[in-house]
Each structure stands twice: as C-alpha cells, then as structure tokens.
C-alpha cells in the first residue's frame, strides 16, 4: 500500500559528464561522457567483482526521475549508466560502444537485463556481438533516446527538457514511474497500481493542478 508521505519536491536527477547531481544541467561539451570501468581495476588485489554494477543498479532503483544528459561518447560499463536512467538525451555525433566480448569479458546479469529491456534483443546482440560503435542517432531512431541535440543548443535544450520534467507533480510522476517500471519488468500488481491512481486522485497536488489549470497559472505542487 502506498503512503501519503510527500514525494521528493526535487524529483529529478540529472547525470552529465558521468557525475550524478540533482538538477545540474551545465553542459561541458566534452567529447567523452565516460570511458567506463578502468581496465586496470580488474588487476587490483582488493577489486570487488560487482562494485561497478552497483552504480547503475542503484540509479535504476531510485525514486526520483533520472535524466542522463550524454554530452559525449560512452563506452563499456558506463553505457549501463545511460540505460539505468529513465530519460536519455545525447549530444549530436556521440557514440555508444560495448567492447566486453572484444576484451574477453561476459557482462554482468543486471546490465544484460537492462540492455535487453531498454534496447531490445536485436540491438543488444548488435552492441555485444559486433563491439562496434553505435551512433546516438541510431539509438534515437529505435526509440531509446528521447532526443539528440546539436552542440550549439545543448545546454539550453537540456535545461528546457529538465524544466518540463521538474514542473510535473512529484507524487504523480514518481508513482507513475514506479508503475511503468513494474509493468515493463512483468512484476506488477493491478491493485497496487489502482491504489496509486486513487492516491493521486485524492491528493493536494491534483486539486492544485486542477485549480491552476482553471486559473491559467503554473501549479505549485508540494508532493502531497
């Protein structure tokens, strides 16, 4: 059962330059977003086998809406950071490459699950079994990326997208995200989803949203 505890009033995480910061959309224009896991790390005596996988796993399970602003190319394990986010946008001309099999490595289970869930079987096979770079324009074409922006409009375009998401009612947005993910994972309860629907229908935010619409003003949502 959902509670009436307020949703986060900053229900948004933006990831850019491989760093997660709340609503930070300053574009740096770097050619590489992240090169992934440092190969030398596998040789370290204190290496933790599943350490890197914990990062995208944690991002994927976050309550806030997550946006990955891919302002450069992404490689290897770092591709899973993009896959773990709810929304992805990319800089025009960037590329996406998964060289695991070319290095002799089988990818970790949760990463493979995200690849197939987000990109589909065919694109996942292409990424892993050719180890060739995939243009971000192709990822947009298959419906994975929300948008690809040119460098000259990058910062403004990302900020515009983020502001639109930030303006959503946080309780409704976060509960809707949860339901969509449960449905996509085929692990959902219809009654729980209906309870979330009822919770938002009786929320202060929905009342505020209706009043703001009638008064032609921006709503002031509180997450309740």
């Amino acid at each position: 059962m959902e509670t009436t505890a307020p949703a986060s009033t900053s229900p948004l995480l933006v990831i850019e330059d491989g760093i997660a910061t709340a609503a930070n959309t300053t574009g740096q224009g770097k050619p590489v977003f992240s090169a992934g896991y440092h190969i030398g790390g596998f040789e370290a005596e204190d290496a933790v086998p599943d350490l890197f996988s914990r990062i995208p796993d944690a991002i994927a399970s976050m309550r806030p809406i997550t946006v990955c602003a891919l302002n450069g190319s992404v490689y290897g394990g770092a591709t899973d950071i993009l896959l773990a986010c709810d929304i992805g946008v990319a800089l025009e001309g960037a590329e996406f490459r998964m060289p695991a099999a070319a290095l002799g490595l089988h990818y970790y289970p949760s990463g493979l699950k995200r690849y197939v869930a987000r990109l589909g079987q065919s694109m996942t096979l292409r990424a892993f079994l050719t180890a060739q770079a995939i243009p971000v324009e192709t990822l947009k074409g298959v419906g994975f990326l929300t948008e690809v922006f040119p460098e000259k409009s990058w910062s403004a375009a990302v900020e515009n997208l983020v502001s639109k998401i930030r303006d959503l009612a946080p309780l409704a947005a976060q509960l809707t995200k949860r339901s969509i993910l449960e449905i996509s994972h085929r692990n959902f309860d219809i009654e729980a989803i209906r309870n979330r629907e009822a919770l938002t229908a009786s929320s202060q935010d929905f009342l505020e949203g209706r009043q703001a619409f009638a008064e032609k003003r921006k709503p002031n949502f509180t997450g309740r």
Side-chain angles (χ1 to χ4, degrees):
M1 175 70 68
E2 308 298 337
T3 70
T4 55
S8 167
T9 53
S10 296
L12 176 64
L13 183 76
V14 179
I15 299 179
E16 190 167 16
D17 285 339
I19 300 173
T21 53
N24 180 352
T25 60
T26 303
Q28 300 300 317
K30 295 180 179 179
V32 176
F33 172 86
S34 176
Y37 194 88
H38 179 46
I39 296 298
F42 288 100
E43 309 299 330
E45 292 183 4
D46 59 349
V48 180
D50 66 342
L51 180 60
F52 186 86
S53 67
R54 295 177 191 175
I55 299 171
D57 286 351
I59 294 171
S61 64
M62 285 180 173
R63 183 175 67 169
I65 297 168
T66 53
V67 176
C68 185
L70 197 70
N71 55 356
S73 296
V74 63
Y75 304 100
T79 59
D80 199 20
I81 293 175
L82 171 61
L83 295 168
C85 290
D86 304 317
I87 303 291
V89 295
L91 184 66
E92 191 176 78
E95 63 183 25
F96 174 106
R97 182 173 180 244
M98 170 44 70
L103 295 171
L105 181 68
H106 185 291
Y107 211 50
Y108 52 89
S110 62
L112 284 174
K113 182 178 178 180
R114 265 187 294 275
Y115 257 86
V116 175
R118 301 301 305 276
L119 295 182
Q121 177 179 301
S122 295
M123 189 60 70
T124 298
L125 289 170
R126 172 179 171 178
F128 279 90
L129 302 186
T130 71
Q132 298 298 301
I134 300 173
V136 292
E137 290 78 7
T138 298
L139 297 180
K140 179 179 182 295
V142 298
F144 171 60
L145 289 176
T146 298
E147 192 55 80
V148 173
F149 299 124
E151 184 176 1
K152 63 181 180 181
S153 61
W154 172 258
S155 295
V158 172
E159 177 57 36
N160 180 59
L161 173 64
V162 168
S163 67
K164 291 182 184 301
I165 298 172
R166 191 186 292 120
D167 287 343
L168 299 174
L171 180 64
Q174 291 170 9
L175 292 181
T176 298
K177 165 185 171 172
R178 181 174 177 180
S179 294
I180 290 171
L181 292 179
E182 288 175 354
I183 291 169
S184 69
H185 296 152
R186 299 183 180 181
N187 179 30
F188 65 96
D189 183 301
I190 288 293
E191 190 61 29
I193 294 175
R194 291 198 180 281
N195 287 339
R196 293 167 196 159
E197 178 188 5
L199 179 61
T200 58
S202 63
S203 68
Q204 294 176 21
D205 275 355
F206 185 42
L207 175 61
E208 167 64 11
R210 300 196 311 273
Q211 291 177 340
F213 180 81
E215 297 167 7
K216 298 182 179 180
R217 61 172 173 82
K218 183 176 179 178
N220 180 28
F221 295 125
T222 62
R224 291 184 178 276

